[in-house]
């Protein structure tokens, strides 16, 4: 079919706008990547756009990986990520399964209460008092247990579970299956695209989390990676990583260290995304279906 001039112009304009959007999205990451491997002296004197590395130096990365605070931050973040995502998936799946069953008494009432928490909460101070009251202050579990369920993710998973045919559940019950068997051997295997999306959502949330860690954690040895990164960027605390150099060199290396730290903290989660990207759109569409 012949494409008209107006259609061709519309497609061309769309391609140009999308290309500009991609460039605007990628440029901050490209800037940080080039800055992290640039020479500190040249970077400090550079003004304007950065479209290539200024010189080449891996001193910033060498300093970052020698910093014990970064390594501790990785260890703490990995602990929060692994145990946090596992806790999130288990609790969210259990809650979504109960709320997706039509024969549960007061199902709509429970669902209303769950949705209500998306709009109203007790506030930060009551949360802190609760966490302190149960003895979780200065524990990595303080960043996991109070956030075991995300309401939006619970609704997405509930909608996905409701899409599983009831005949499969009835057949399993006739064979003597209990609710745990139905959930873990039928419902979840048939909902793996949504589970993959939940892993991505919760993993990004745990990896980027720093605010509640800054409130509940006082011991610096328990700081997650993002809180350590925040301290480096905001407090300009790079002296430890550039120790051994004179004051001028410390300032130059410190500038590139900031960018190298950002790359070290961002690349792992960027690597994870392509593996679950194909499930991403499907998971969002499932959440958009009224159920």
């Amino acid at each position: 079919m012949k494409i008209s001039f107006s259609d061709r112009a519309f497609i061309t304009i769309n391609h140009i706008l999308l290309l500009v959007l991609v460039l605007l999205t990628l440029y901050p990451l490209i800037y940080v990547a080039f800055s992290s491997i640039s020479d500190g002296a040249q970077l400090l004197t550079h003004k304007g756009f950065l479209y290539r590395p200024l010189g080449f130096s891996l001193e910033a990365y060498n300093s970052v990986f020698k910093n014990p605070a970064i390594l501790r931050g990785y260890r703490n973040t990995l602990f929060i990520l692994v145990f946090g995502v596992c806790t999130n998936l288990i609790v969210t799946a259990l809650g979504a399964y109960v709320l997706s069953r039509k024969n549960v008494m007061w199902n709509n009432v429970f669902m209303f209460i769950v949705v209500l928490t998306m709009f109203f909460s007790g506030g930060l101070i009551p949360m802190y008092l609760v966490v302190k009251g149960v003895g979780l202050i200065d524990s990595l579990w303080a960043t996991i247990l109070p956030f075991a369920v995300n309401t939006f993710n619970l609704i997405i998973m509930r909608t996905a579970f409701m899409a599983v045919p009831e005949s499969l559940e009835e057949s399993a019950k006739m064979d003597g299956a209990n609710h745990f068997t139905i959930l873990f051997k039928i419902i979840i295997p048939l909902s793996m695209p949504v589970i993959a999306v939940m892993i991505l959502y919760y993993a990004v949330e745990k990896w980027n989390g720093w605010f509640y860690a800054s409130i509940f954690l006082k011991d610096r040895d328990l700081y997650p990676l993002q809180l350590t990164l925040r301290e480096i960027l905001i407090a300009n605390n790079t002296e430890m990583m550039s120790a051994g150099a004179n004051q001028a060199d410390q300032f130059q290396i410190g500038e590139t260290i900031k960018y190298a730290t950002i790359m070290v903290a961002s690349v792992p989660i960027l690597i994870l995304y392509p593996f679950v990207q194909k499930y991403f759109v499907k998971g969002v569409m499932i959440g958009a279906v009224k159920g």
Side-chain angles (χ1 to χ4, degrees):
M1 187 176 71
K2 186 177 179 180
I3 301 177
S4 65
F5 174 78
S6 59
D7 289 340
R8 190 180 298 109
F10 177 78
I11 293 173
T12 302
I13 293 173
N14 270 348
H15 287 172
I16 294 173
L17 291 177
L18 289 174
L19 180 61
V20 171
L21 181 62
V22 168
L23 292 176
L24 291 175
T25 304
L26 289 180
Y27 180 72
L29 182 60
I30 294 173
Y31 183 92
V32 172
F34 286 162
S35 298
S36 67
I37 58 176
S38 295
D39 177 71
Q42 297 184 47
L43 183 63
L44 286 173
T45 58
H46 178 76
K47 302 294 182 182
F49 288 98
L50 186 66
Y51 55 88
R52 62 178 177 81
L54 301 174
F56 182 78
S57 174
L58 295 177
E59 185 64 30
Y61 286 97
N62 185 42
S63 300
V64 166
F65 287 113
K66 283 183 178 179
N67 183 13
I70 296 293
L71 299 180
R72 285 197 303 268
Y74 255 110
R75 179 197 65 196
N76 296 332
T77 297
L78 289 176
F79 178 89
I80 295 172
L81 182 68
V82 173
F83 288 96
V85 171
C86 290
T87 301
N88 290 142
L89 289 178
I90 292 173
V91 177
T92 303
L94 292 174
Y97 177 76
V98 172
L99 293 173
S100 65
R101 302 303 93 187
K102 296 181 179 179
N103 58 349
V104 174
M105 185 180 297
W106 296 348
N107 193 319
N108 293 333
V109 175
F110 292 143
M111 194 62 207
F112 174 79
I113 295 173
V114 169
V115 173
L116 194 66
T117 63
M118 295 180 64
F119 304 98
F120 302 98
S121 65
L124 183 59
I125 294 176
M127 177 185 290
Y128 179 84
L129 294 176
V130 170
V131 172
K132 181 179 179 181
V134 298
L136 289 179
I137 295 295
D138 256 352
S139 170
L140 291 177
W141 289 103
T143 62
I144 297 175
L145 296 181
F147 314 99
V149 176
N150 181 291
T151 306
F152 179 74
N153 295 343
L154 176 64
I155 295 173
I156 292 177
M157 192 175 289
R158 170 184 176 266
T159 306
F161 287 177
M162 291 178 68
V164 177
E166 293 184 24
S167 57
L168 295 177
E169 180 182 353
E170 294 172 356
S171 300
K173 287 181 178 179
M174 292 179 62
D175 291 334
N178 56 30
H179 288 291
F180 284 101
T181 303
I182 295 172
L183 174 61
F184 290 105
K185 291 189 176 181
I186 297 177
I187 303 294
I188 289 181
L190 293 175
S191 306
M192 286 309 296
V194 176
I195 299 297
V197 173
M198 293 298 101
I199 291 174
L200 175 64
Y201 284 173
Y202 280 125
V204 171
E205 177 185 330
K206 299 301 179 187
W207 186 269
N208 291 331
W210 64 270
F211 178 72
Y212 290 106
S214 67
I215 294 173
F216 299 140
L217 303 179
K218 301 177 183 178
D219 187 353
R220 299 175 67 87
D221 290 339
L222 297 176
Y223 279 9
L225 181 61
Q226 299 298 336
L227 190 54
T228 303
L229 172 62
R230 177 182 180 274
E231 192 172 70
I232 291 172
L233 295 178
I234 295 181
N236 201 25
N237 186 14
T238 60
E239 290 82 1
M240 182 183 297
M241 288 184 278
S242 56
N246 58 50
Q247 187 173 0
D249 290 341
Q250 279 186 358
F251 185 70
Q252 295 171 4
I253 297 174
E255 192 67 18
T256 56
I257 282 175
K258 296 176 184 178
Y259 295 111
T261 307
I262 294 173
M263 290 300 298
V264 168
S266 303
V267 167
I269 204 69
L270 293 176
I271 294 175
L272 172 66
Y273 180 76
F275 293 100
V276 294
Q277 187 270 341
K278 61 182 179 180
Y279 302 118
F280 187 79
V281 175
K282 185 174 183 179
V284 172
M285 292 304 295
I286 289 176
V289 176
K290 183 179 179 180

